[in-house]
Amino acid sequence: MTKPVVDLTIVGSIGIDTIETPTEKQEEILGGSVSYACAAASFFSHTGMVGVVGTDFPQEFRDTWSNMSIDLEGLQTVEGKTFRWGGAYHENMDNRDTLFTDLGVFESFSPELPEDYKEAPYLFLGNIHPALQLHVLEQTRDPKFVLIDTMDLWINIAKDDLAKVISRCNMLTLNESEAQLYTGEHSLTQAAKLLLELGPEYVLIKKGGNGSMLFTKQDIFLLHAYPLDTFKDPTGAGDTFAGGLMGALAASGKTDKKAIREAMVYGSIVASFGVEEFSLERLKQLDRDEIEIRVAEFKEMCRI
Amino acid sequence: MTKPVVDLTIVGSIGIDTIETPTEKQEEILGGSVSYACAAASFFSHTGMVGVVGTDFPQEFRDTWSNMSIDLEGLQTVEGKTFRWGGAYHENMDNRDTLFTDLGVFESFSPELPEDYKEAPYLFLGNIHPALQLHVLEQTRDPKFVLIDTMDLWINIAKDDLAKVISRCNMLTLNESEAQLYTGEHSLTQAAKLLLELGPEYVLIKKGGNGSMLFTKQDIFLLHAYPLDTFKDPTGAGDTFAGGLMGALAASGKTDKKAIREAMVYGSIVASFGVEEFSLERLKQLDRDEIEIRVAEFKEMCRI
């Protein structure tokens, strides 16, 4: 059997997380931006993962990814310990404190793309150091659409590198506070205007439970979040959203505004499932029919 | 000339406000829930105002309302001072501190409806003591649709009265933190379920710049807020939204879900203009064409 062609390459962090919410604590669970993003994308397209784990990484976690048909040729296993992260959410679940960070093998990560990943038409540069994101971008062969995510740390300590890689991407995604931090503008529309000046055609600002806003120089698209009765763990929601978006966009084969709006809906809905449980627990049980049912319900909720 | 029939009666507070934002301070400006709500409703329907002012109330403010064709037959003028309120917004414009409250003639306000207001098919019970809201409701003759607004104060000190009047209304509106305060539920979908148990067919939760959510026992409608480049003063935005909603609904003559969703869009857009300036400064310059242009633009922003 020939290996299926990778439509979408995703690079990012892989971590073993310990997470405390006001009601629950889970230790040593599967996390990391590329894990959430690939899991979400896998519902729609053939997705290749680029990341690093240590020799202590459990086979069970690897199996979780394989069972979701994520391509693992780009996954490096390096002698040493896998990146570990601990976080505790406040009562409102909107804010969290980092309890510990132990970089392990992630500290010297140099992402290398397998040959067929280089040809993938869609690329998602998940949240890692912008110099590494640039290194990935330089290995690719003229992708059709590149999305870049980042975080406050890189805005604070590597803004020049970040600006350089953003200028070469089609879409930048960041959350509300990061957009404000990057630009010094409280107004998101003003912040988006400045971010568009960096070069990307699209700026996607994530507002958690309050949805997201997609800006171009010409227009704005406003998307609510699917209203959940309860949710257990918001970790990775932004990565799941962006991964689902890119998976759905890759499946469409398109890059126009209409396709992007539709892909955002799919990303948002997959993320709404993801936060119902810790880690990938909900996503690994999820099927495409459940996604389609919630997408239809959600569209009805947004119909004026 | 015969006096036009009032389609919509609105009751609420009238105040002379002093407002500080991080960049500006305005003293002795026209405020109050019924002032904002009637101004917004006046773009769509013939609206009657029920409120009280003191003998110190400036003729200029009265003229502002008259020029917007608001019916003032229900406005009482009582010997004494008009209600005054002062507030200061924090840097993020989301939170504010009350600097002073001087009730004046508002302290002994007893709202009385002129004869033709009692027949108005639409009624908006703006934020005043729930016992007074009930007193207004009892003067009306079987209105088609009644909206009630409230605030944290009445939830804290007059919850039984509030529950009684809510049970007799078609729609309850409150903001996110008030819904959480009333029910003790952090999740808005859970809070809405409990509030629907009080009797209203609709619960409308306002989230400021993050839009609003309309709940029934069967479904949910999600509406983003129109994204503004800059805004000067959020005071009265919720009253403007609700007033515009009720004005547009009264103009439609309907009370079904489709008409309510459409009316919410109009309310939201009028509110987006209102916050561009202090007091009614923007609304008194606004015309229906500007509203329609922004409504069309906004619908395009929400189209999936």
Side-chain angles (χ1 to χ4, degrees):
Chain A
M1 204 178 86
T2 333
K3 179 171 170 291
V5 175
V6 167
D7 308 307
L8 168 62
T9 300
I10 307 184
V11 60
S13 62
I14 298 164
I16 298 180
D17 293 349
T18 294
I19 292 167
E20 291 176 36
T21 68
T23 55
E24 210 168 344
K25 180 177 180 177
Q26 297 235 354
E27 294 180 88
E28 298 274 304
I29 60 176
L30 178 57
S33 60
V34 78
S35 176
Y36 284 107
C38 285
S42 72
F43 292 101
F44 311 105
S45 68
H46 191 62
T47 306
M49 177 187 289
V50 179
V52 66
V53 296
T55 37
D56 63 342
F57 194 68
Q59 182 62 37
E60 177 204 340
F61 291 167
R62 223 177 276 260
D63 293 343
T64 296
W65 293 331
S66 298
N67 292 338
M68 298 182 90
S69 303
I70 298 166
D71 191 293
L72 301 179
E73 199 190 337
L75 177 64
Q76 302 169 25
T77 307
V78 170
E79 186 66 38
K81 286 189 74 181
T82 303
F83 173 45
R84 275 171 174 75
W85 175 80
Y89 287 90
H90 298 189
E91 195 58 48
N92 64 11
M93 297 286 261
D94 291 332
N95 302 101
R96 72 182 178 202
D97 298 318
T98 292
L99 300 179
F100 61 86
T101 302
D102 184 0
L103 289 175
V105 298
F106 190 58
E107 190 159 14
S108 51
F109 177 42
S110 176
E112 304 303 329
L113 304 197
E115 274 312 304
D116 69 325
Y117 286 31
K118 296 178 184 175
E119 305 284 350
Y122 296 82
L123 173 66
F124 175 21
L125 301 170
N127 171 31
I128 50 174
H129 192 292
L132 297 184
Q133 292 176 318
L134 194 63
H135 178 62
V136 169
L137 195 55
E138 283 172 345
Q139 296 170 60
T140 61
R141 302 199 183 99
D142 197 24
K144 274 170 75 167
F145 196 89
V146 183
L147 170 64
I148 180 170
D149 192 7
T150 190
M151 71 184 292
D152 50 3
L153 176 65
W154 314 127
I155 297 169
N156 284 324
I157 70 168
K159 204 170 180 178
D160 289 347
D161 282 345
L162 184 56
K164 195 193 286 181
V165 61
I166 288 171
S167 75
R168 294 176 56 178
C169 295
N170 301 85
M171 187 190 286
L172 165 67
T173 185
L174 25 60
N175 65 36
E176 194 169 1
S177 61
E178 289 160 355
Q180 289 163 336
L181 173 68
Y182 197 113
T183 62
E185 282 285 347
H186 181 71
S187 154
L188 297 183
T189 55
Q190 296 290 6
K193 274 181 199 164
L194 294 173
L195 293 168
L196 285 166
E197 296 295 322
L198 297 173
E201 192 183 348
Y202 298 93
V203 169
L204 172 58
I205 298 181
K206 294 170 285 187
K207 303 197 297 171
N210 291 314
S212 56
M213 304 170 82
L214 179 70
F215 296 86
T216 71
K217 284 190 176 170
Q218 293 77 42
D219 55 23
I220 304 176
F221 173 52
L222 305 170
L223 189 67
H224 236 284
Y226 179 84
L228 286 167
D229 270 7
T230 53
F231 70 103
K232 285 203 175 170
D233 176 18
T235 309
D239 304 307
T240 309
F241 173 46
L245 186 173
M246 286 298 284
L249 194 63
S252 77
K254 297 175 186 168
T255 62
D256 62 283
K257 280 182 191 179
K258 191 170 181 307
I260 289 172
R261 288 183 176 203
E262 185 79 13
M264 278 173 64
V265 171
Y266 277 90
S268 168
I269 292 304
V270 176
S272 78
F273 282 109
V275 298
E276 290 179 2
E277 300 289 345
F278 284 81
S279 185
L280 301 184
E281 290 309 307
R282 183 68 182 93
L283 295 187
K284 71 188 190 191
Q285 306 292 339
L286 186 64
D287 66 39
R288 184 66 186 262
D289 283 352
E290 289 178 283
I291 295 171
E292 294 298 342
I293 290 166
R294 192 175 281 186
V295 163
E297 187 197 355
F298 178 67
K299 285 183 173 177
E300 180 53 34
M301 289 181 181
C302 300
R303 198 175 48 75
I304 294 168
Chain B
M1 203 177 86
T2 332
K3 179 171 170 295
V5 175
V6 168
D7 308 307
L8 168 62
T9 300
I10 306 183
V11 59
S13 62
I14 298 164
I16 299 179
D17 293 347
T18 294
I19 291 167
E20 292 176 36
T21 69
T23 55
E24 209 169 343
K25 180 177 180 176
Q26 296 235 355
E27 294 180 88
E28 298 274 304
I29 60 176
L30 177 57
S33 61
V34 78
S35 175
Y36 284 107
C38 285
S42 71
F43 291 101
F44 311 105
S45 68
H46 192 62
T47 306
M49 177 188 288
V50 180
V52 66
V53 297
T55 37
D56 63 343
F57 194 69
Q59 183 61 37
E60 176 204 342
F61 291 166
R62 222 178 276 261
D63 294 343
T64 296
W65 293 331
S66 298
N67 292 339
M68 299 183 89
S69 303
I70 298 165
D71 191 293
L72 301 179
E73 199 189 337
L75 177 65
Q76 302 169 26
T77 307
V78 170
E79 187 65 41
K81 285 190 75 181
T82 304
F83 173 46
R84 276 171 174 75
W85 176 81
Y89 288 89
H90 298 189
E91 194 59 46
N92 64 9
M93 297 285 262
D94 291 331
N95 301 101
R96 72 183 180 202
D97 298 319
T98 292
L99 299 178
F100 61 85
T101 303
D102 184 359
L103 289 175
V105 297
F106 190 58
E107 190 160 14
S108 50
F109 177 42
S110 177
E112 303 303 329
L113 304 197
E115 274 312 304
D116 68 328
Y117 286 30
K118 296 178 183 174
E119 306 283 350
Y122 295 83
L123 173 66
F124 175 22
L125 300 170
N127 171 30
I128 51 174
H129 193 291
L132 298 184
Q133 292 176 317
L134 195 63
H135 178 63
V136 169
L137 194 57
E138 282 173 345
Q139 296 170 60
T140 61
R141 303 199 183 99
D142 198 24
K144 274 169 76 166
F145 196 90
V146 184
L147 169 64
I148 180 170
D149 192 7
T150 191
M151 72 184 295
D152 49 3
L153 177 65
W154 313 127
I155 297 169
N156 285 324
I157 70 169
K159 202 168 179 178
D160 289 349
D161 282 347
L162 184 56
K164 195 193 286 181
V165 61
I166 288 171
S167 75
R168 294 175 57 177
C169 295
N170 302 84
M171 186 189 287
L172 164 66
T173 185
L174 27 58
N175 64 36
E176 194 169 2
S177 61
E178 290 160 355
Q180 289 164 335
L181 174 68
Y182 197 113
T183 62
E185 282 285 347
H186 181 70
S187 153
L188 297 182
T189 55
Q190 296 290 5
K193 275 181 197 163
L194 294 173
L195 293 167
L196 286 166
E197 295 295 320
L198 297 173
E201 192 183 346
Y202 297 94
V203 169
L204 173 59
I205 299 182
K206 295 170 285 187
K207 303 197 296 171
N210 291 315
S212 57
M213 304 170 82
L214 179 70
F215 295 86
T216 71
K217 285 190 176 171
Q218 293 78 40
D219 54 23
I220 304 177
F221 173 52
L222 305 171
L223 189 68
H224 236 286
Y226 179 84
L228 287 167
D229 269 6
T230 51
F231 70 104
K232 284 203 176 170
D233 176 19
T235 309
D239 305 307
T240 309
F241 173 46
L245 186 172
M246 286 299 285
L249 194 64
S252 78
K254 297 175 185 166
T255 62
D256 61 283
K257 281 181 190 180
K258 193 170 179 306
I260 290 172
R261 288 184 176 202
E262 185 79 13
M264 277 173 64
V265 171
Y266 278 89
S268 167
I269 292 304
V270 176
S272 77
F273 282 109
V275 298
E276 290 179 1
E277 299 288 346
F278 283 81
S279 186
L280 301 184
E281 291 309 307
R282 183 66 183 93
L283 295 188
K284 72 188 191 191
Q285 306 293 338
L286 185 65
D287 67 37
R288 184 66 186 261
D289 282 353
E290 288 177 285
I291 295 171
E292 295 296 343
I293 289 166
R294 192 175 281 185
V295 163
E297 187 196 354
F298 179 67
K299 285 182 173 178
E300 180 53 32
M301 290 180 183
C302 300
R303 198 174 47 76
I304 295 169

